[in-house]
Amino acid sequence: MQTILSIAIDAFAYGMALFIICIGLSLTMGLMRVVNLAHGAFAMIAGYIASYAARDLGLGYAVAIFLAIIGTVIISIPLERLLYRRIYGSPELTQVLMTIGITFCIIGITNYFFGPTLKTIPLPGSLSQPVDVGIRTIAGHRLFVMACGLVVAGGLWYLIEKTDFGIKLRATVDNAAMADALGVRTQVIYAISFAIAIGLAALGGVVGAEFLPIEPYYALRYMVTFLVVVSVGGAGSIPGAVVACLLLGAIDTTGRYLMPEFGNFFFYAAVVAIVCVFPRGFFGRAQ
Amino acid sequence: MKVSKKVLGAAIGALLAGTVSAYADTIKVGIIGPFSGPFALQGKNFQAGVEAYMALNGKSVKGHDIEVIYRDLPTANPAQSRALAQELVVKDKVQYLGGVYFTPDAMAITPLLKQANVPLVIFNAATSAIMTQSPLVVRTSFTTAQTTSPLGKIAVDRGVKKVISAVSDYGPGVDAEAAFKKAFESAGGQVVEAIRMPLNTNDFSPIMQRIRDSGAEAVFAFLPSGPTTLGFVKAYNETGLKQAGIKFFAPGDLTQESDLPALGDGALGLLTTFHYAVSHDSPENKKFVEAATKAIGGADQLSFPSVGAYDGMHVIYKMIEATDGKQDAQKAVDAVKGLSWTSPRGPVSIDAETRHITENIYLREVAKGADGKTYNKEIQTFPNQKDPGLATQ
């Protein structure tokens, strides 16, 4: 029983880290209909910035997270204007080719500036201590990641379902021309949602760095994992992404505890099974 | 137009003739390694080792100029490795091949050597079996079995009776598991459980939980250097294994110098065995580190492949000296059998029988230097270790 509980804690922490990174991708794919394979690359940029800020400049963890999010969003703005705007509504193949190209460019440029070695983001003392949660000790930052995940999920749900902006966003997604005619500035809506998605990728890249370490090939190494989460959960669905992350995190973590030699077998077997039963993911919308 | 063409032709002809006579004495060495891609840092270390050697020992041997040609092989790819070696031999006419980071790549080259009349000096690839593939292979790096074996005795000496092993699930990991088990059990210990972790594991908490559940007093770990190492060491600290007094033993790949800044204070106190530490205290190493740092462009990027390359160049120089520039692979290899010299890592020699390097293996503890940076501090020496993996064959 204790083992099961302790696996559950690990699974929850891992799932939440995945969620923070993937939810942005889910939004771009589901709401904006852009297959953004460069999503992980933005998480990577954020990781590099945070690592540079915390390790080389000696700034605090919170400041590093803030700088990473702001920096990544600033970097993404010209990309959105010059590159992404051209592929809204394009065929998926064009989007895939364009964004994978962007990924490789980002990898090359970050390696040129920050070097090819592994980067870490030093945690503040309070987060790096093991915390005794009763049944076992768990790293403090894991609790922090879980909290971040819950806040992000709640915040996004509120933003999309309850606010003015959310209404406009949903309207734009369903019928851009009509929304435009009604006075919604669709270009602005797209730009803002893109910035939010990138900001979330950045946040996830930094707080998730303990699970998915920041290294030169980050963007490619985890690309499939991120896509899998989105397809299992259903693109654009926040509850879907939460469920997918928790479920896949649980399967992966349990498999790794009980039968590590099977590798990712259970993870992908589960994905295959889920996609067979739910072709659009758990909460995917019919198109 | 016609005239100029003729002149040009004549010029080229003269140039070619000139090339033949003036450069007949240039001996080409082809080096294959990962100079780009995820393992580019290891390739850079090859280059730094080679350049350091040439800077300290000159670019010619007995009047023969030496030219090094680098070929990039970003990840393990035997077919491409073979093609690159072939190209180097046929097109570039190299007399010596060197480098090779991964075992499968080395294996793919060995069948070519005899026909091409070219020796291969391996700077890194660390599986014992490579040496049995061709009599024209010489290795100046190490094997996993060689660096791991002393750990068995060390663990028992430190009062550990039960160990759980956790290795990455691929060739070298399995080698490490077997070598440790053999050495540890012959010293009187018991391996209670052996975990093989998939290479792409990111979250090691479940593994740590399993290590704790096994009731072992220590964990023996082997993972390839890189992001996974970091995750593993972090998880070891954060899940409270360290506080619970579970000891940690590993070969030195886990604490290679270029990863230490990323590992930070979490690595303090880790015990590893390896053939080379950048901190090794000797005049030879001081000279080497200075030259290699200059070549690679930053002290924190220097790591163990550089010393394999440095000594590999030493062996190639000796081969050229012995054959006086002629292409005779067998003679060249025979000349370095039993060769001994002082390497930056300490006294070494080429075993006449296996053509693999005999060297000291050091027990190191990650410690904090005066400058506040962590380094591998050598605390015990196991002199003249051969490769146990080859000895049993």
Side-chain angles (χ1 to χ4, degrees), chain B residues 228-255:
Chain B
T228 46
T229 323
L230 179 75
F232 192 86
V233 174
K234 277 204 156 165
Y236 168 75
N237 285 320
E238 288 172 351
T239 49
L241 248 62
K242 196 177 194 176
Q243 285 86 338
I246 295 174
K247 292 193 176 69
F248 188 103
F249 300 105
D253 310 70
L254 257 86
T255 58

PDB file of all heavy atoms in Angstrom, chain B residues 228-255:
ATOM      1  N   THR B 228      20.766  12.020 -18.466  1.00  0.00           N
ATOM      2  CA  THR B 228      20.238  10.982 -17.586  1.00  0.00           C
ATOM      3  C   THR B 228      21.017  10.910 -16.274  1.00  0.00           C
ATOM      4  O   THR B 228      20.443  10.707 -15.210  1.00  0.00           O
ATOM      5  CB  THR B 228      20.298   9.615 -18.267  1.00  0.00           C
ATOM      6  OG1 THR B 228      21.572   9.484 -18.862  1.00  0.00           O
ATOM      7  CG2 THR B 228      19.241   9.494 -19.330  1.00  0.00           C
ATOM      8  N   THR B 229      22.338  11.087 -16.386  1.00  0.00           N
ATOM      9  CA  THR B 229      23.182  11.052 -15.193  1.00  0.00           C
ATOM     10  C   THR B 229      22.707  12.064 -14.176  1.00  0.00           C
ATOM     11  O   THR B 229      22.591  11.787 -12.985  1.00  0.00           O
ATOM     12  CB  THR B 229      24.617  11.465 -15.561  1.00  0.00           C
ATOM     13  OG1 THR B 229      24.907  10.953 -16.819  1.00  0.00           O
ATOM     14  CG2 THR B 229      25.583  11.001 -14.554  1.00  0.00           C
ATOM     15  N   LEU B 230      22.435  13.252 -14.691  1.00  0.00           N
ATOM     16  CA  LEU B 230      22.008  14.344 -13.842  1.00  0.00           C
ATOM     17  C   LEU B 230      20.729  13.980 -13.104  1.00  0.00           C
ATOM     18  O   LEU B 230      20.622  14.142 -11.890  1.00  0.00           O
ATOM     19  CB  LEU B 230      21.781  15.565 -14.726  1.00  0.00           C
ATOM     20  CG  LEU B 230      21.311  16.803 -14.015  1.00  0.00           C
ATOM     21  CD1 LEU B 230      22.460  17.408 -13.259  1.00  0.00           C
ATOM     22  CD2 LEU B 230      20.761  17.798 -15.007  1.00  0.00           C
ATOM     23  N   GLY B 231      19.772  13.459 -13.855  1.00  0.00           N
ATOM     24  CA  GLY B 231      18.499  13.082 -13.253  1.00  0.00           C
ATOM     25  C   GLY B 231      18.693  12.021 -12.188  1.00  0.00           C
ATOM     26  O   GLY B 231      18.071  12.067 -11.119  1.00  0.00           O
ATOM     27  N   PHE B 232      19.566  11.077 -12.467  1.00  0.00           N
ATOM     28  CA  PHE B 232      19.778   9.970 -11.542  1.00  0.00           C
ATOM     29  C   PHE B 232      20.381  10.460 -10.229  1.00  0.00           C
ATOM     30  O   PHE B 232      19.898  10.139  -9.140  1.00  0.00           O
ATOM     31  CB  PHE B 232      20.696   8.930 -12.194  1.00  0.00           C
ATOM     32  CG  PHE B 232      20.745   7.628 -11.457  1.00  0.00           C
ATOM     33  CD1 PHE B 232      19.805   6.645 -11.700  1.00  0.00           C
ATOM     34  CD2 PHE B 232      21.733   7.383 -10.511  1.00  0.00           C
ATOM     35  CE1 PHE B 232      19.837   5.442 -11.022  1.00  0.00           C
ATOM     36  CE2 PHE B 232      21.771   6.182  -9.820  1.00  0.00           C
ATOM     37  CZ  PHE B 232      20.825   5.206 -10.078  1.00  0.00           C
ATOM     38  N   VAL B 233      21.418  11.262 -10.330  1.00  0.00           N
ATOM     39  CA  VAL B 233      22.087  11.754  -9.115  1.00  0.00           C
ATOM     40  C   VAL B 233      21.145  12.648  -8.311  1.00  0.00           C
ATOM     41  O   VAL B 233      21.090  12.587  -7.091  1.00  0.00           O
ATOM     42  CB  VAL B 233      23.391  12.484  -9.471  1.00  0.00           C
ATOM     43  CG1 VAL B 233      24.015  13.112  -8.236  1.00  0.00           C
ATOM     44  CG2 VAL B 233      24.376  11.518 -10.103  1.00  0.00           C
ATOM     45  N   LYS B 234      20.384  13.472  -9.025  1.00  0.00           N
ATOM     46  CA  LYS B 234      19.413  14.341  -8.344  1.00  0.00           C
ATOM     47  C   LYS B 234      18.393  13.517  -7.576  1.00  0.00           C
ATOM     48  O   LYS B 234      18.107  13.780  -6.417  1.00  0.00           O
ATOM     49  CB  LYS B 234      18.677  15.193  -9.370  1.00  0.00           C
ATOM     50  CG  LYS B 234      19.461  16.391  -9.745  1.00  0.00           C
ATOM     51  CD  LYS B 234      18.556  17.477 -10.270  1.00  0.00           C
ATOM     52  CE  LYS B 234      19.293  18.750 -10.039  1.00  0.00           C
ATOM     53  NZ  LYS B 234      18.875  19.886 -10.679  1.00  0.00           N
ATOM     54  N   ALA B 235      17.846  12.527  -8.269  1.00  0.00           N
ATOM     55  CA  ALA B 235      16.834  11.693  -7.636  1.00  0.00           C
ATOM     56  C   ALA B 235      17.421  10.988  -6.411  1.00  0.00           C
ATOM     57  O   ALA B 235      16.767  10.840  -5.381  1.00  0.00           O
ATOM     58  CB  ALA B 235      16.291  10.679  -8.632  1.00  0.00           C
ATOM     59  N   TYR B 236      18.692  10.578  -6.515  1.00  0.00           N
ATOM     60  CA  TYR B 236      19.360   9.913  -5.400  1.00  0.00           C
ATOM     61  C   TYR B 236      19.386  10.828  -4.171  1.00  0.00           C
ATOM     62  O   TYR B 236      19.109  10.403  -3.051  1.00  0.00           O
ATOM     63  CB  TYR B 236      20.778   9.520  -5.828  1.00  0.00           C
ATOM     64  CG  TYR B 236      21.683   9.091  -4.703  1.00  0.00           C
ATOM     65  CD1 TYR B 236      21.525   7.835  -4.111  1.00  0.00           C
ATOM     66  CD2 TYR B 236      22.699   9.909  -4.238  1.00  0.00           C
ATOM     67  CE1 TYR B 236      22.346   7.426  -3.082  1.00  0.00           C
ATOM     68  CE2 TYR B 236      23.529   9.512  -3.221  1.00  0.00           C
ATOM     69  CZ  TYR B 236      23.354   8.278  -2.638  1.00  0.00           C
ATOM     70  OH  TYR B 236      24.174   7.879  -1.619  1.00  0.00           O
ATOM     71  N   ASN B 237      19.689  12.094  -4.396  1.00  0.00           N
ATOM     72  CA  ASN B 237      19.738  13.036  -3.283  1.00  0.00           C
ATOM     73  C   ASN B 237      18.344  13.368  -2.756  1.00  0.00           C
ATOM     74  O   ASN B 237      18.111  13.428  -1.562  1.00  0.00           O
ATOM     75  CB  ASN B 237      20.403  14.336  -3.725  1.00  0.00           C
ATOM     76  CG  ASN B 237      21.886  14.172  -3.858  1.00  0.00           C
ATOM     77  OD1 ASN B 237      22.519  13.510  -3.055  1.00  0.00           O
ATOM     78  ND2 ASN B 237      22.444  14.735  -4.910  1.00  0.00           N
ATOM     79  N   GLU B 238      17.425  13.618  -3.695  1.00  0.00           N
ATOM     80  CA  GLU B 238      16.150  14.203  -3.299  1.00  0.00           C
ATOM     81  C   GLU B 238      15.160  13.212  -2.711  1.00  0.00           C
ATOM     82  O   GLU B 238      14.239  13.589  -2.009  1.00  0.00           O
ATOM     83  CB  GLU B 238      15.518  14.896  -4.510  1.00  0.00           C
ATOM     84  CG  GLU B 238      16.257  16.166  -4.848  1.00  0.00           C
ATOM     85  CD  GLU B 238      15.790  16.766  -6.155  1.00  0.00           C
ATOM     86  OE1 GLU B 238      15.016  16.088  -6.868  1.00  0.00           O
ATOM     87  OE2 GLU B 238      16.184  17.895  -6.449  1.00  0.00           O
ATOM     88  N   THR B 239      15.309  11.951  -3.052  1.00  0.00           N
ATOM     89  CA  THR B 239      14.366  10.989  -2.494  1.00  0.00           C
ATOM     90  C   THR B 239      14.834  10.501  -1.129  1.00  0.00           C
ATOM     91  O   THR B 239      14.253   9.588  -0.564  1.00  0.00           O
ATOM     92  CB  THR B 239      14.183   9.782  -3.420  1.00  0.00           C
ATOM     93  OG1 THR B 239      15.481   9.325  -3.774  1.00  0.00           O
ATOM     94  CG2 THR B 239      13.415  10.162  -4.660  1.00  0.00           C
ATOM     95  N   GLY B 240      15.922  11.124  -0.628  1.00  0.00           N
ATOM     96  CA  GLY B 240      16.353  10.811   0.725  1.00  0.00           C
ATOM     97  C   GLY B 240      17.218   9.567   0.836  1.00  0.00           C
ATOM     98  O   GLY B 240      17.502   9.103   1.938  1.00  0.00           O
ATOM     99  N   LEU B 241      17.655   9.028  -0.291  1.00  0.00           N
ATOM    100  CA  LEU B 241      18.516   7.846  -0.241  1.00  0.00           C
ATOM    101  C   LEU B 241      19.851   8.161   0.417  1.00  0.00           C
ATOM    102  O   LEU B 241      20.399   7.365   1.162  1.00  0.00           O
ATOM    103  CB  LEU B 241      18.752   7.314  -1.664  1.00  0.00           C
ATOM    104  CG  LEU B 241      18.129   5.958  -1.981  1.00  0.00           C
ATOM    105  CD1 LEU B 241      16.630   6.053  -1.840  1.00  0.00           C
ATOM    106  CD2 LEU B 241      18.480   5.511  -3.379  1.00  0.00           C
ATOM    107  N   LYS B 242      20.354   9.348   0.098  1.00  0.00           N
ATOM    108  CA  LYS B 242      21.639   9.752   0.639  1.00  0.00           C
ATOM    109  C   LYS B 242      21.531   9.860   2.165  1.00  0.00           C
ATOM    110  O   LYS B 242      22.372   9.357   2.894  1.00  0.00           O
ATOM    111  CB  LYS B 242      22.040  11.096   0.039  1.00  0.00           C
ATOM    112  CG  LYS B 242      23.505  11.434   0.223  1.00  0.00           C
ATOM    113  CD  LYS B 242      23.811  12.755  -0.464  1.00  0.00           C
ATOM    114  CE  LYS B 242      25.309  12.955  -0.611  1.00  0.00           C
ATOM    115  NZ  LYS B 242      25.608  14.185  -1.355  1.00  0.00           N
ATOM    116  N   GLN B 243      20.438  10.521   2.625  1.00  0.00           N
ATOM    117  CA  GLN B 243      20.247  10.698   4.063  1.00  0.00           C
ATOM    118  C   GLN B 243      20.045   9.355   4.751  1.00  0.00           C
ATOM    119  O   GLN B 243      20.424   9.167   5.902  1.00  0.00           O
ATOM    120  CB  GLN B 243      19.034  11.587   4.351  1.00  0.00           C
ATOM    121  CG  GLN B 243      19.264  13.061   4.093  1.00  0.00           C
ATOM    122  CD  GLN B 243      19.013  13.445   2.650  1.00  0.00           C
ATOM    123  OE1 GLN B 243      19.066  12.581   1.764  1.00  0.00           O
ATOM    124  NE2 GLN B 243      18.745  14.714   2.397  1.00  0.00           N
ATOM    125  N   ALA B 244      19.437   8.412   4.017  1.00  0.00           N
ATOM    126  CA  ALA B 244      19.173   7.105   4.610  1.00  0.00           C
ATOM    127  C   ALA B 244      20.453   6.274   4.701  1.00  0.00           C
ATOM    128  O   ALA B 244      20.434   5.147   5.192  1.00  0.00           O
ATOM    129  CB  ALA B 244      18.125   6.363   3.790  1.00  0.00           C
ATOM    130  N   GLY B 245      21.561   6.820   4.186  1.00  0.00           N
ATOM    131  CA  GLY B 245      22.844   6.134   4.328  1.00  0.00           C
ATOM    132  C   GLY B 245      23.115   5.080   3.262  1.00  0.00           C
ATOM    133  O   GLY B 245      24.021   4.263   3.410  1.00  0.00           O
ATOM    134  N   ILE B 246      22.340   5.102   2.196  1.00  0.00           N
ATOM    135  CA  ILE B 246      22.610   4.153   1.113  1.00  0.00           C
ATOM    136  C   ILE B 246      23.761   4.698   0.274  1.00  0.00           C
ATOM    137  O   ILE B 246      23.684   5.800  -0.261  1.00  0.00           O
ATOM    138  CB  ILE B 246      21.340   3.930   0.265  1.00  0.00           C
ATOM    139  CG1 ILE B 246      20.282   3.250   1.130  1.00  0.00           C
ATOM    140  CG2 ILE B 246      21.651   3.091  -0.964  1.00  0.00           C
ATOM    141  CD1 ILE B 246      18.945   3.105   0.473  1.00  0.00           C
ATOM    142  N   LYS B 247      24.853   3.932   0.220  1.00  0.00           N
ATOM    143  CA  LYS B 247      26.054   4.421  -0.458  1.00  0.00           C
ATOM    144  C   LYS B 247      25.898   4.336  -1.973  1.00  0.00           C
ATOM    145  O   LYS B 247      25.026   3.635  -2.484  1.00  0.00           O
ATOM    146  CB  LYS B 247      27.268   3.620   0.005  1.00  0.00           C
ATOM    147  CG  LYS B 247      27.634   3.864   1.449  1.00  0.00           C
ATOM    148  CD  LYS B 247      29.017   3.284   1.721  1.00  0.00           C
ATOM    149  CE  LYS B 247      29.485   3.576   3.130  1.00  0.00           C
ATOM    150  NZ  LYS B 247      28.707   2.838   4.153  1.00  0.00           N
ATOM    151  N   PHE B 248      26.785   5.036  -2.659  1.00  0.00           N
ATOM    152  CA  PHE B 248      26.656   5.178  -4.099  1.00  0.00           C
ATOM    153  C   PHE B 248      28.003   4.861  -4.744  1.00  0.00           C
ATOM    154  O   PHE B 248      29.001   5.504  -4.444  1.00  0.00           O
ATOM    155  CB  PHE B 248      26.262   6.630  -4.396  1.00  0.00           C
ATOM    156  CG  PHE B 248      25.911   6.915  -5.823  1.00  0.00           C
ATOM    157  CD1 PHE B 248      24.588   7.054  -6.208  1.00  0.00           C
ATOM    158  CD2 PHE B 248      26.905   7.079  -6.785  1.00  0.00           C
ATOM    159  CE1 PHE B 248      24.257   7.338  -7.529  1.00  0.00           C
ATOM    160  CE2 PHE B 248      26.581   7.361  -8.109  1.00  0.00           C
ATOM    161  CZ  PHE B 248      25.253   7.488  -8.477  1.00  0.00           C
ATOM    162  N   PHE B 249      28.032   3.858  -5.602  1.00  0.00           N
ATOM    163  CA  PHE B 249      29.265   3.530  -6.325  1.00  0.00           C
ATOM    164  C   PHE B 249      28.994   3.528  -7.821  1.00  0.00           C
ATOM    165  O   PHE B 249      27.942   3.063  -8.263  1.00  0.00           O
ATOM    166  CB  PHE B 249      29.775   2.138  -5.933  1.00  0.00           C
ATOM    167  CG  PHE B 249      30.092   2.000  -4.473  1.00  0.00           C
ATOM    168  CD1 PHE B 249      29.246   1.299  -3.627  1.00  0.00           C
ATOM    169  CD2 PHE B 249      31.247   2.568  -3.949  1.00  0.00           C
ATOM    170  CE1 PHE B 249      29.540   1.173  -2.278  1.00  0.00           C
ATOM    171  CE2 PHE B 249      31.546   2.443  -2.607  1.00  0.00           C
ATOM    172  CZ  PHE B 249      30.693   1.748  -1.761  1.00  0.00           C
ATOM    173  N   ALA B 250      29.956   4.031  -8.593  1.00  0.00           N
ATOM    174  CA  ALA B 250      29.777   4.060 -10.045  1.00  0.00           C
ATOM    175  C   ALA B 250      31.120   4.227 -10.735  1.00  0.00           C
ATOM    176  O   ALA B 250      32.056   4.756 -10.130  1.00  0.00           O
ATOM    177  CB  ALA B 250      28.862   5.217 -10.431  1.00  0.00           C
ATOM    178  N   PRO B 251      31.238   3.787 -11.996  1.00  0.00           N
ATOM    179  CA  PRO B 251      32.438   4.161 -12.748  1.00  0.00           C
ATOM    180  C   PRO B 251      32.375   5.637 -13.132  1.00  0.00           C
ATOM    181  O   PRO B 251      31.306   6.257 -13.074  1.00  0.00           O
ATOM    182  CB  PRO B 251      32.387   3.248 -13.973  1.00  0.00           C
ATOM    183  CG  PRO B 251      30.991   2.778 -14.079  1.00  0.00           C
ATOM    184  CD  PRO B 251      30.372   2.881 -12.725  1.00  0.00           C
ATOM    185  N   GLY B 252      33.505   6.202 -13.514  1.00  0.00           N
ATOM    186  CA  GLY B 252      33.647   7.653 -13.639  1.00  0.00           C
ATOM    187  C   GLY B 252      32.842   8.335 -14.715  1.00  0.00           C
ATOM    188  O   GLY B 252      32.774   9.550 -14.754  1.00  0.00           O
ATOM    189  N   ASP B 253      32.217   7.579 -15.623  1.00  0.00           N
ATOM    190  CA  ASP B 253      31.376   8.224 -16.642  1.00  0.00           C
ATOM    191  C   ASP B 253      30.320   9.099 -15.974  1.00  0.00           C
ATOM    192  O   ASP B 253      29.880  10.091 -16.542  1.00  0.00           O
ATOM    193  CB  ASP B 253      30.648   7.176 -17.489  1.00  0.00           C
ATOM    194  CG  ASP B 253      31.566   6.104 -18.026  1.00  0.00           C
ATOM    195  OD1 ASP B 253      32.056   5.287 -17.224  1.00  0.00           O
ATOM    196  OD2 ASP B 253      31.789   6.085 -19.233  1.00  0.00           O
ATOM    197  N   LEU B 254      29.892   8.702 -14.773  1.00  0.00           N
ATOM    198  CA  LEU B 254      28.808   9.430 -14.105  1.00  0.00           C
ATOM    199  C   LEU B 254      29.218  10.794 -13.587  1.00  0.00           C
ATOM    200  O   LEU B 254      28.379  11.656 -13.392  1.00  0.00           O
ATOM    201  CB  LEU B 254      28.244   8.606 -12.938  1.00  0.00           C
ATOM    202  CG  LEU B 254      26.923   7.957 -13.303  1.00  0.00           C
ATOM    203  CD1 LEU B 254      27.175   6.656 -13.985  1.00  0.00           C
ATOM    204  CD2 LEU B 254      26.038   7.804 -12.110  1.00  0.00           C
ATOM    205  N   THR B 255      30.502  10.952 -13.328  1.00  0.00           N
ATOM    206  CA  THR B 255      30.920  12.260 -12.812  1.00  0.00           C
ATOM    207  C   THR B 255      31.982  12.864 -13.725  1.00  0.00           C
ATOM    208  O   THR B 255      32.940  13.452 -13.264  1.00  0.00           O
ATOM    209  CB  THR B 255      31.478  12.149 -11.381  1.00  0.00           C
ATOM    210  OG1 THR B 255      32.591  11.235 -11.403  1.00  0.00           O
ATOM    211  CG2 THR B 255      30.442  11.659 -10.410  1.00  0.00           C
TER     212      THR B 255
END
